[in-house]
Amino acid sequence: MSIVLEAEHVRVEYGSFVALPDFQLSLSAGNLLGLIGPNGAGKTTSLKAIAGLLPMTAGRVRVLGETVEPGNTSALSRIGFAPDTPPMYDEMTVEDFLRFIGRAYRVGREMTEERIDYWLEQLWLSDRRTSKVKALSRGMKQRLTVARTLLPDPALVLLDEPAAGLDPAGRVQFRKMLGSLRDSGKALIVSSHILADLHEYCTHIGIMEGGKLRQLGTVAQVVHSQAENRCLYEITLARMVPDVQTAFGDMVGLTKLDIQGRQISFEYEHDDEAAAAILSKLLAAGLPIARFAPVDHDLEQAYLRTGIKQVD
Amino acid sequence: MAAEPIILNPIGWGQFRLLGGWRRTLGIAGAYAGGSLLIMILLYRAMRAETTLANFARGSLTFFLLIQSAILVFVGTNAVKRAILRDFTTDMISSHRLTAMSGYTAALGYLTGPTSQCIALTFVNWLICTILAGIAGTPGSITDLLGPTMLFVIMGFLAAFCWSLQVLMALNTRGRISVVGAFVVLGVLSNLDVLWTLPGLALVVPTYLVSTLRRSSSGITPNDLPVITSMAAQLALSFTFFLAAARKYRRDDVAAFSGALGYCLVALCALIAAVGMARVPTPQIPFAPPIFYSNSVHSIATLIALALIAILPVANAARASAEWGRRKVKDAMFKGRRPRSFVEAVAISVILALGILLLVLGKSSLAMIEHRKDMMPHEQMVYCAVAFALSLLTIGGLLRYVYSASGKVGWVIVLYLVFAWCIPMFADFSLDALTNPAAMTESGRSMLFTSSPVGAWIASCTLLEAPVPQGLMIQALLAAGSLWLASRAKR
């Protein structure tokens, strides 16, 4: 797969504050990277730096081999960037706004009209074609931003919190659309706090904190990282048992025990034999176990395992 | 460079749509034409007994010309400012910057789109004025019909100047600053004739136009040298502003006048100043103070103006040098070419500014200063040049030092101008007044006076007694200190 994005040692400073000390990233066609992290982690800054909208004090960004810098319209026009607060001309109609974007990207007139039809249909805005932008709801504006970003057919798509204003049905369709964009060979970066969605459609995950990528890898790599062959087990008791803590007292290797009434969770070895052994020990200790289940690894646990407390 | 007509220019088209498109534009133009016609008919019917149709048409023509200049200079300039302000407040500017649009296309769009309704009204006004000129003049006289057209062409050049300057200023200040206020002040000054102290500036603003109109009742012809020179100067400056705006559009941190463009501006301003001093005759207006027409005053004002303009390329060189140094330290992979040092920028600016002045003025440059008995005219001119170079070296060094720590340097320039240019002269006057009040007007000035570049220029261009070499020594010490500071600048 061809490399679409190369960000090497990117450093961004706001006065004396270093927002990105040394950001590095490489993305190939067909990669969909989900960026997660707390507020102020540097997700938006890194997206803006990649899009060439922020000056860098060090490093360089290349898109399809071309350096992204002010004035290099050839490189800039290969990037589609949808910020979390979409910039729009409120007084324009939806179709006029997209026509304006088509002209700005030098998409031919006929091709622009074709693409407007296509993306308005894909993003369920066809019936709003002649509405003024100011009359759209937040979710609709979010979808229009996505249409604006994809209309010029960029090779690299950067989406900052794209699903923030979408309703549940919209989110499902949006996930499908991102999947099809990924499969069509585009490279995408999505910054989002909806971790379950990211787990579903991303090929890669980057966890950011303090302007640094603390973890970067495929979804499977990130989900299983730091798990060290450990698994979370959940138990539901049939009834309340007094002094339940003593039943777990002498079990070697059991960690993160959490007892909330009849609900108990703990971490133990990720192995079927080990699970059977601990279940039999607990039954032998007289616990009335109604449900015993190992919990599959997911992105949320992986994120929490990093020790980053604040989730935006 | 994209020279696209309005309808193909993306920003031009977008702004045109935001203003309501063809329907709104034609509606406004039609309503304006109809309204004007109706008011004129009603006024003429009311005044028919007291005036002739020709006289009424002549009066109306003047009125519409005033309206037209207001539409172009004030309404048009404001429309450009508002369009850019909106793009910054909605962050559409970031959206534009991501597109395939070049800076030239964007700047052209800002010039044509927001002003589309003004252009439509201009066309209506031109039609009205041409008809009125036909009624007012000898029937069939080509001069009378061409008169308004020529005035519209002149106003068109002025509008291009105002609008391109506004695009540049708005892109530099995120749409916050309007140049309309400056044009109001300049308009007032044009009538006060004070602008004649700086012939180059008088050439660019409509001073020549106003004074030519005042002197001539038959209007302006294409052969009127000051007007043609004025239009050429406006066009050249408009083009320079346009190029700078196209650069600035790319990103907020990009310098508008970096590199060659800054030197072009200095060279162009020097050329305009020199042409204003040498080639365009200053009109002798009754009761105007003679100081406005003194050659030495023209020289001093021109040197001050050129030194202020030359700060731009020097500051840009200082900034580029500081940024290069910072990047070199922080980025191991950085291979950018080392930019010109600010000292080179000072040398180039001095050569361009003073070289062009001398080249255009030729032998008449000697007539631009009052000849002193205690020094040769060439000596006086060398002192002027040395003060010019030292002032730029001093500010360049200061800026290089400050740029290494911060991007905000406006306060440094202001402080430098106050403390190095103004205060020494005022201090000298104050000390003189305190120590020897009776003889103040007769005595010469001290080296405190000439330690200011302005003081040195005044002393070198006039007969004022003052120790210029000593003052220049102090300036040289300041420049040396500033260079030392620059060498200590943080990387």
Side-chain angles (χ1 to χ4, degrees):
Chain A
M1 277 189 288
S2 61
I3 290 182
V4 177
L5 167 70
E6 295 163 277
E8 298 172 89
H9 304 290
V10 172
R11 182 182 176 91
V12 176
E13 296 172 7
Y14 297 114
S16 58
F17 173 69
V18 182
L20 291 183
D22 187 14
F23 183 81
Q24 295 203 65
L25 184 65
S26 177
L27 218 57
S28 300
N31 286 172
L32 201 168
L33 170 71
L35 270 187
I36 55 179
N39 288 327
K43 303 187 295 293
T44 301
T45 300
S46 54
L47 292 183
K48 283 188 170 177
I50 290 169
L53 294 172
L54 285 178
M56 298 180 289
T57 45
R60 63 203 45 72
V61 174
R62 287 198 194 95
V63 172
L64 294 173
E66 284 198 74
T67 305
V68 176
E69 58 190 353
N72 186 357
T73 51
S74 165
L76 289 170
S77 60
R78 290 165 193 264
I79 304 169
F81 175 51
D84 53 348
T85 314
M88 284 171 188
Y89 283 134
D90 277 355
E91 294 299 323
M92 273 190 186
T93 62
V94 168
E95 60 180 1
D96 268 354
F97 178 67
L98 292 175
R99 278 185 193 129
F100 167 72
I101 296 299
R103 281 166 186 262
Y105 278 94
R106 295 191 198 135
V107 181
R109 197 168 291 186
E110 281 179 25
M111 182 64 84
T112 301
E113 294 302 322
E114 266 178 41
R115 290 185 187 173
I116 289 173
D117 290 342
Y118 177 78
W119 284 115
L120 288 185
E121 196 181 318
Q122 286 288 305
L123 292 155
W124 331 287
L125 285 169
S126 293
D127 57 333
R128 293 288 183 160
R129 195 183 176 102
T130 53
S131 301
K132 289 216 166 164
V133 171
K134 67 180 175 189
L136 301 183
S137 68
R138 187 180 169 218
M140 287 173 183
K141 282 186 179 174
Q142 203 79 37
R143 281 183 267 153
L144 180 59
T145 306
V146 175
R148 174 253 173 267
T149 306
L150 297 172
L151 188 109
D153 195 23
L156 173 66
V157 181
L158 311 171
L159 304 172
D160 196 1
E161 303 286 359
L166 300 183
D167 56 30
R171 266 174 57 188
V172 172
Q173 284 176 295
F174 186 69
R175 284 204 301 263
K176 285 182 188 165
M177 194 195 73
L178 284 180
S180 70
L181 284 172
R182 177 197 63 206
D183 297 339
S184 71
K186 292 192 187 306
L188 298 101
I189 303 180
V190 179
S191 154
S192 176
H193 59 271
I194 308 171
L195 303 188
D197 284 7
L198 290 177
H199 195 167
E200 191 173 317
Y201 56 68
C202 286
T203 59
H204 293 73
I205 292 292
I207 301 178
M208 288 193 78
E209 191 193 26
K212 292 174 188 159
L213 269 171
R214 281 189 60 165
Q215 274 189 47
L216 177 66
T218 61
V219 175
Q221 283 169 344
V222 171
V223 163
H224 293 104
S225 67
Q226 296 177 22
E228 293 162 352
N229 204 26
R230 306 280 293 171
C231 180
L232 181 74
Y233 294 90
E234 283 181 354
I235 292 173
T236 307
L237 300 178
R239 57 182 180 281
M240 295 287 282
V241 176
D243 209 14
V244 68
Q245 185 98 33
T246 52
F248 293 89
D250 58 346
M251 291 188 185
V252 179
L254 186 146
T255 55
K256 296 189 180 173
L257 177 64
D258 182 26
I259 301 167
Q260 303 286 335
R262 289 164 54 213
Q263 303 294 331
I264 302 167
S265 69
F266 58 86
E267 272 193 12
Y268 197 61
E269 289 171 34
H270 190 202
D271 178 73
D272 287 348
E273 287 296 325
I278 200 160
L279 177 60
S280 61
K281 278 186 190 175
L282 292 172
L283 287 169
L287 289 182
I289 294 174
R291 183 176 157 272
F292 176 90
V295 179
D296 283 339
H297 290 292
D298 67 10
L299 199 52
E300 198 171 289
Q301 286 173 37
Y303 180 80
L304 293 173
R305 271 201 303 274
T306 61
I308 301 170
K309 296 292 180 198
Q310 178 199 0
V311 186
D312 71 348
Chain B
M1 197 184 303
E4 298 165 334
I6 174 176
I7 211 70
L8 291 180
N9 183 293
I11 289 185
W13 182 84
Q15 295 292 339
F16 183 62
R17 296 294 300 169
L18 286 170
L19 289 173
W22 287 111
R23 190 177 294 178
R24 171 85 66 89
T25 304
L26 292 176
I28 288 173
Y32 176 77
S36 301
L37 195 67
L38 185 69
I39 290 169
M40 276 195 291
I41 289 170
L42 290 175
L43 274 175
Y44 180 64
R45 283 171 69 92
M47 297 165 71
R48 199 162 41 181
E50 297 152 29
T51 186
T52 63
L53 181 60
N55 274 342
F56 178 78
R58 211 166 289 137
S60 303
L61 182 62
T62 310
F63 174 76
F64 276 101
L65 287 173
L66 281 173
I67 292 280
Q68 178 55 33
S69 57
I71 286 173
L72 286 179
V73 176
F74 301 128
V75 182
T77 308
N78 220 21
V80 170
K81 185 236 169 193
R82 268 188 284 118
I84 295 175
L85 178 64
R86 174 169 48 198
D87 278 0
F88 273 102
T89 48
T90 59
D91 202 31
M92 273 305 287
I93 193 85
S94 298
S95 173
H96 299 336
R97 283 168 175 166
L98 275 172
T99 67
M101 255 189 297
S102 68
Y104 305 113
T105 308
L108 190 65
Y110 284 125
L111 282 175
T112 52
T115 56
S116 50
Q117 289 177 351
C118 292
I119 295 168
L121 290 180
T122 299
F123 181 71
V124 174
N125 272 338
W126 173 77
L127 271 178
I128 293 173
C129 289
T130 306
I131 294 166
L132 287 172
I135 296 169
T138 316
S141 159
I142 197 156
T143 316
D144 282 338
L145 288 174
L146 277 179
T149 305
M150 188 63 199
L151 282 173
F152 272 71
V153 171
I154 290 167
M155 282 193 271
F157 277 77
L158 180 65
F161 176 72
C162 297
W163 297 353
S164 55
L165 181 60
Q166 181 61 76
V167 172
L168 174 63
M169 288 300 289
L171 287 173
N172 262 297
T173 59
R174 300 181 66 84
R176 283 193 287 265
I177 287 183
S178 168
V179 297
V180 169
F183 279 102
V184 171
V185 173
L186 285 176
V188 172
L189 290 179
S190 299
N191 284 326
L192 293 175
D193 298 318
V194 73
L195 279 192
W196 291 114
T197 50
L198 186 53
L201 183 61
L203 198 61
V204 175
V205 296
T207 310
Y208 274 116
L209 179 65
V210 171
S211 71
T212 313
L213 275 173
R214 229 189 261 169
R215 282 179 288 129
S216 163
S217 56
S218 60
I220 293 162
T221 68
N223 298 327
D224 201 328
L225 180 68
V227 176
I228 300 301
T229 318
S230 176
M231 284 160 70
Q234 285 172 355
L235 187 65
L237 280 175
S238 305
F239 188 63
T240 312
F241 295 152
F242 173 78
L243 294 180
R247 283 185 58 84
K248 189 68 197 172
Y249 159 82
R250 295 178 190 171
R251 206 167 61 195
D252 291 348
D253 60 306
V254 174
F257 281 104
S258 66
L261 203 56
Y263 300 124
C264 277
L265 184 72
V266 173
L268 188 59
C269 290
L271 183 66
I272 293 169
V275 170
M277 285 165 81
R279 306 271 185 237
V280 181
T282 308
Q284 294 299 318
I285 298 165
F287 311 117
I291 193 172
F292 293 163
Y293 311 112
S294 150
N295 281 342
S296 54
V297 170
H298 288 178
S299 300
I300 296 161
T302 300
L303 283 169
I304 293 171
L306 286 180
L308 290 174
I309 292 164
I311 290 176
L312 204 60
V314 173
N316 278 328
R319 177 183 159 173
S321 169
E323 279 176 0
W324 184 87
R326 205 178 300 138
R327 183 100 193 212
K328 198 79 185 154
V329 167
K330 289 180 178 167
D331 191 348
M333 297 161 74
F334 181 62
K335 290 190 180 77
R337 208 159 49 107
R338 189 187 196 111
R340 267 201 182 99
S341 82
F342 74 91
V343 180
E344 285 175 69
V346 169
I348 295 171
S349 301
V350 171
I351 291 168
L352 280 175
L354 303 184
I356 289 172
L357 267 185
L358 285 176
L359 210 66
V360 176
L361 290 170
K363 284 180 183 169
S364 60
S365 57
L366 290 175
M368 291 294 155
I369 52 174
E370 292 172 15
H371 295 180
R372 298 170 61 132
K373 286 178 185 165
D374 57 338
M375 57 177 91
M376 300 290 287
H378 292 100
E379 209 178 334
Q380 290 174 258
M381 288 164 79
V382 168
Y383 286 151
C384 285
V386 171
F388 195 93
L390 288 175
S391 66
L392 288 181
L393 264 183
T394 311
I395 186 68
L398 288 174
L399 291 176
R400 175 64 186 85
Y401 181 76
V402 177
Y403 266 128
S404 64
S406 163
K408 294 191 171 88
V409 296
W411 62 274
V412 181
I413 297 175
V414 172
L415 286 180
Y416 166 73
L417 294 177
V418 170
F419 283 99
W421 283 33
C422 304
I423 285 185
M425 292 194 301
F426 288 120
D428 184 56
F429 277 119
S430 306
L431 284 174
D432 208 9
L434 285 171
T435 54
N436 193 10
M440 192 194 156
T441 50
E442 293 161 17
S443 67
R445 305 260 62 88
S446 74
M447 67 176 170
L448 188 59
F449 184 82
T450 50
S451 67
S452 152
V454 181
W457 291 325
I458 292 172
S460 303
C461 293
T462 64
L463 300 177
L464 180 77
E465 277 181 41
V468 182
Q470 288 88 329
L472 289 179
M473 287 296 286
I474 296 175
Q475 288 186 42
L477 281 175
L478 274 178
S482 175
L483 286 173
W484 175 80
L485 208 58
S487 70
R488 309 273 300 171
K490 276 192 294 183
R491 288 292 179 218

